[in-house]
Amino acid sequence: MISSAELKKLYLGFFQKRGHKLIPNASLIPEHDPSVLFTTAGMHPLVPFLLGEPHPLGKRLCNVQRCIRTGDIDEVGDAWHLSFFEMLGNWSLGDYFKEEAISMSFEFLTKELGIPAERFSVTCFAGDRDAPRDDGSAREWERLGVAKNRIHFLPKHDNWWGPAGQTGPCGPDTEMFYHAKDMQEGSTDEFVKLSSTGPFCEIWNDVLMQYDKAADGSFGELKQKNVDTGMGVERTVAVLNGADNVYECDTLAPILDMVISISAKGTTKANRNARIITDHMRAAVMILGDERGVVPSNVDQGYVLGRLPIRSVDIKSEYKTIVWTAERNMA
Ligand code: GLY
């Protein structure tokens, strides 16, 4: 079994040994970016440096960042989505690019974490009028030993990351999916199905950040080519321990157990509402406990903070009504 603390230590140690300087976790409330309510990724506080400003600690950085993503809120409660999660990241600010980023990701996954190469699939950007197809990443994955039929090309909707707000640094990405269930895809269509319904879980994303999105929607070249990666701590810990859902990770399992212990008799760990309550209560606590302190209100972050417990209560009462009705019908 691997714990979240052990995964973080392994990851940060691996990248520090490769010249990356550790930067602190930033606040969940972005300090210099009014265009977004929450820090959604570790790259967020790094925007000026991705745009070319020299970072005081150099061109190679790594950290673990707390994130809130309200965009995924309707998917929370399925096997893998969370509104609050921790993200491991490594960055190249105009230093290494795709080959080195991919080969370090591959080495970390297969050597440090011991994931067999057969246990994962990868995706690369298929290309469109804004940027060409990313054959370079696919070649690197193949060179490292990923079978050609496990490398899938997908459009911008799937294989593009950023900008964090409306404008700024962004680019195509290459994503790594762990086969949480022992299944194989026979085609890209099948891969899409397996990765959107649960059996395959995206655990890491290497963003090849080379464009700057302007307010008119056009994509200019950035001054420098960067790498921005994000690995989900909860997902990775869960799959490494053989789980097929994120709620079995050590930082979520005790909360879910507690929610179940006060829920209607017969509630299981797979119950979607129990999972949503677990996620939302944890997210609310993290926002409340943030160093830039938010309190519930009618606007912005305070509104989201207020809605999370309310949404949990709504779900819980709706769930109780369903259980009560079912019990009454059976009587
Ligand atoms: N910024 C990289 C990611 O969120 O995956």
Side-chain angles (χ1 to χ4, degrees):
M1 294 291 269
I2 184 167
S3 68
S4 300
E6 282 159 354
L7 174 67
K8 289 179 202 171
K9 198 164 162 218
L10 274 179
Y11 183 98
L12 298 175
F14 178 90
F15 283 100
Q16 282 176 292
K17 262 189 245 142
R18 285 157 185 76
H20 295 69
K21 295 283 186 292
L22 181 63
I23 54 170
N25 165 80
S27 163
L28 276 175
I29 317 300
E31 222 165 328
H32 304 295
D33 187 353
S35 69
V36 281
L37 291 180
F38 293 104
T39 299
T40 57
M43 59 76 72
H44 220 138
L46 294 176
V47 169
F49 311 106
L50 294 161
L51 288 168
E53 192 181 305
H55 193 284
L57 292 180
K59 292 174 176 233
R60 292 180 177 221
L61 308 173
C62 61
N63 87 344
V64 49
Q65 175 63 46
R66 289 194 286 271
C67 305
I68 291 272
R69 287 195 183 171
T70 50
D72 289 340
I73 205 139
D74 290 334
E75 288 166 276
V76 170
D78 71 3
W80 303 115
H81 286 90
L82 295 168
S83 53
F84 168 86
F85 62 98
E86 290 188 286
M87 185 189 277
L88 288 158
N90 60 283
W91 291 273
S92 156
L93 303 172
D95 188 23
Y96 59 85
F97 200 50
K98 67 178 76 169
E99 283 82 8
E100 202 177 337
I102 290 172
S103 90
M104 284 194 283
S105 295
F106 187 80
E107 187 184 345
F108 184 71
L109 291 174
T110 57
K111 304 243 165 70
E112 295 284 315
L113 301 184
I115 297 179
E118 313 79 73
R119 200 81 194 175
F120 73 96
S121 301
V122 298
T123 59
C124 302
F125 180 54
D128 62 14
R129 65 190 174 133
D130 298 320
R133 178 179 148 108
D134 187 10
D135 288 313
S137 291
R139 267 197 304 275
E140 184 61 13
W141 287 117
E142 249 191 278
R143 188 187 73 74
L144 292 165
V146 180
K148 214 173 176 149
N149 60 354
R150 296 288 182 76
I151 304 171
H152 304 283
F153 287 91
L154 294 175
K156 200 180 247 124
H157 174 264
D158 305 283
N159 275 81
W160 190 276
W161 208 92
Q166 297 305 312
T167 60
C170 56
D173 66 30
T174 178
E175 302 182 2
M176 291 147 261
F177 290 77
Y178 184 88
H179 296 190
K181 295 219 165 108
D182 196 8
M183 296 167 89
Q184 311 274 332
E185 72 268 43
S187 64
T188 293
D189 283 351
E190 254 176 62
F191 166 81
V192 169
K193 199 162 161 214
L194 291 168
S195 58
S196 56
T197 55
F200 292 0
C201 170
E202 184 203 337
I203 52 171
W204 201 357
N205 179 15
D206 289 356
V207 186
L208 309 161
M209 205 158 251
Q210 53 201 302
Y211 298 104
D212 187 6
K213 187 173 181 191
D216 65 5
S218 62
F219 293 88
E221 297 272 336
L222 279 177
K223 263 211 290 213
Q224 63 192 30
K225 287 185 172 175
N226 309 294
V227 172
D228 155 42
T229 93
M231 171 188 268
V233 172
E234 293 83 350
R235 288 181 177 189
T236 308
V237 168
V239 300
L240 287 172
N241 291 325
D244 63 3
N245 72 85
V246 78
Y247 292 91
E248 289 182 43
C249 144
D250 57 353
T251 51
L252 281 156
I255 308 174
L256 180 61
D257 285 345
M258 208 268 278
V259 170
I260 287 174
S261 75
I262 54 170
S263 295
K265 213 170 137 208
T267 303
T268 69
K269 289 186 187 196
N271 182 280
R272 189 170 181 122
N273 293 332
R275 287 175 169 185
I276 295 173
I277 294 165
T278 300
D279 168 87
H280 284 14
M281 297 315 288
R282 185 170 82 137
V285 167
M286 290 299 171
I287 298 171
L288 272 170
D290 190 83
E291 70 219 48
R292 280 169 54 83
V294 169
V295 290
S297 71
N298 289 332
V299 290
D300 301 337
Q301 292 94 348
Y303 178 75
V304 178
L305 173 60
R307 283 303 303 168
L308 286 165
I310 290 169
R311 205 162 172 264
S312 300
V313 170
D314 288 349
I315 288 161
K316 182 124 176 90
S317 32
E318 179 195 316
Y319 173 62
K320 273 207 163 141
T321 311
I322 293 164
V323 172
W324 183 77
T325 312
E327 278 170 357
R328 203 177 46 166
N329 289 344
M330 279 163 65

